[in-house]
Amino acid sequence: DTEGLLRIKEENQKHYRRAQRHQEKKEKIQRHNRKLGDLVEKKTYDLKTQYEHLAKLRRTHILELTSVIFPMEEVKTSMRDPADMSSESDNAMTSSTVSKLAEARRTTYLSGRWVCDDHNGDTSISITGPWIILPNNGDYSAYYSWVEEKKTTQGPDMEHNNPAHTISAALCYATQLVNTLSLILDVNLPKKLCNRQVKTQQGHHEFCGENLSRHRFTRAVKKLNANILHLCFSQHVNLDLLHPLHTLRNLMYLVSPDTENLGR
């Protein structure tokens, strides 16, 4: 029993010495973890600072881009309100019908409800110049009408300022601006839109083709609007300001100096 007790004491001493070594290793690992934690915290702070610096650079580039090359602003149009034309309207059209038309023109379906939109119909938004404009409400039916008219008329088109040309040009510039913003912000766009006017495997620039069919034109507009909304979401633009059909107005909200997260 005495010899057994001595053996147990020796084993206990070995275990104790081993426990001391393990304790030293544990303390060493803990010190190493604390150093790594401090380093990670410092690197995280440095990374956050770099992100903030990068956001400021992106913001500066975007504001320069949209003030020098792609300026956008609201342009008042000379459209007449239906209520103002009541005296000139057909006798069959009652005053109540005219007032309802006027109200409908100033109303937009937004976020599941009809809201009054003071910008709807009576303003346009220009890009790169006051002569290249898009309807504020996203109604591009003038382009379809022009294409249909071109199918029935012969000869060269001499109207260089017709709405179809300005709509096509504005959408071209908007596409180029969106693609450039995508590069600056390092955000991948969900839809691919070509902004080159050279011929590619997919064809010409979506909006620079001659007499685009209604289907192709509408499809390209939807892709452009989707890309713009995607950029707005990525920069945390206030969702209450956005409308899925307001192409240039959404872009204006995106690149506005008031957009706090622009460049994030």
Side-chain angles (χ1 to χ4, degrees):
D1 289 343
T2 303
E3 290 175 356
L5 181 62
L6 289 175
R7 283 197 304 273
I8 292 173
K9 286 184 177 179
E10 289 178 358
E11 290 179 0
N12 285 344
Q13 287 178 350
K14 289 180 181 179
H15 289 315
Y16 178 73
R17 288 193 295 269
R18 185 181 299 174
Q20 282 186 320
R21 291 197 299 271
H22 288 169
Q23 181 66 25
E24 291 173 358
K25 285 184 180 179
K26 176 185 173 184
E27 292 175 356
K28 184 179 180 182
I29 291 173
Q30 288 176 337
R31 288 194 300 270
H32 182 66
N33 286 343
R34 283 195 295 269
K35 287 182 180 179
L36 286 180
D38 295 340
L39 182 62
V40 168
E41 186 176 350
K42 181 180 181 302
K43 292 292 184 182
T44 302
Y45 176 78
D46 291 343
L47 182 62
K48 182 180 177 182
T49 304
Q50 289 296 324
Y51 276 144
E52 292 174 354
H53 178 64
L54 180 60
K56 289 180 181 178
L57 281 178
R58 287 172 171 167
R59 188 184 185 89
T60 301
H61 289 321
I62 289 173
L63 295 180
E64 287 179 354
L65 180 71
T66 53
S67 62
V68 179
I69 302 177
F70 294 102
M72 289 179 288
E73 61 180 354
E74 278 198 36
V75 178
K76 289 288 182 181
T77 56
S78 57
M79 291 180 63
R80 301 168 67 188
D81 195 288
D84 297 334
M85 297 189 295
S86 59
S87 60
E88 303 173 13
S89 62
D90 188 81
N91 293 333
M93 182 177 288
T94 64
S95 60
S96 62
T97 305
V98 174
S99 62
K100 288 178 181 178
L101 285 173
E103 180 184 357
R105 191 177 63 83
R106 291 190 293 267
T107 308
T108 300
Y109 190 71
L110 183 62
S111 299
R113 66 184 187 278
W114 291 97
V115 296
C116 181
D117 184 3
D118 294 335
H119 303 294
N120 192 7
D122 60 349
T123 62
S124 295
I125 298 179
S126 68
I127 182 170
T128 72
W131 55 90
I132 301 179
I133 59 176
L134 278 183
N136 174 65
N137 59 1
D139 180 12
Y140 306 140
S141 56
Y143 186 90
Y144 316 139
S145 302
W146 174 67
V147 171
E148 292 299 322
E149 184 180 347
K150 285 286 290 178
K151 289 180 180 178
T152 58
T153 58
Q154 300 296 326
D157 182 15
M158 303 304 292
E159 297 183 31
H160 298 293
N161 292 326
N162 70 57
H165 283 158
T166 57
I167 287 174
S168 178
L171 291 172
C172 284
Y173 285 126
T175 302
Q176 188 174 3
L177 174 58
V178 168
N179 288 346
T180 307
L181 290 175
S182 162
L183 294 175
I184 294 175
L185 295 172
D186 194 25
V187 175
N188 292 325
L189 297 176
K191 306 293 182 181
K192 184 177 181 181
L193 273 177
C194 176
N195 65 343
R196 293 176 297 172
Q197 296 189 24
V198 298
K199 189 171 181 62
T200 63
Q201 292 180 351
Q202 291 77 25
H204 292 283
H205 183 297
E206 263 79 2
F207 299 109
C208 286
E210 287 293 329
N211 303 349
L212 289 178
S213 67
R214 182 172 187 137
H215 172 72
R216 284 186 60 196
F217 182 83
T218 304
R219 182 171 175 270
V221 170
K222 287 181 179 178
K223 288 164 68 176
L224 175 59
N225 286 336
N227 285 343
I228 293 173
L229 288 175
H230 183 76
L231 286 177
C232 290
F233 298 154
S234 74
Q235 303 305 300
H236 293 178
V237 177
N238 184 357
L239 299 182
D240 294 334
L241 300 176
L242 303 177
H243 188 287
L245 301 181
H246 294 178
T247 307
L248 289 186
R249 179 164 293 281
N250 291 342
L251 262 179
M252 288 181 69
Y253 286 134
L254 171 65
V255 301
S256 169
D258 297 330
T259 304
E260 297 178 359
N261 295 295
L262 181 60
R264 63 178 293 279

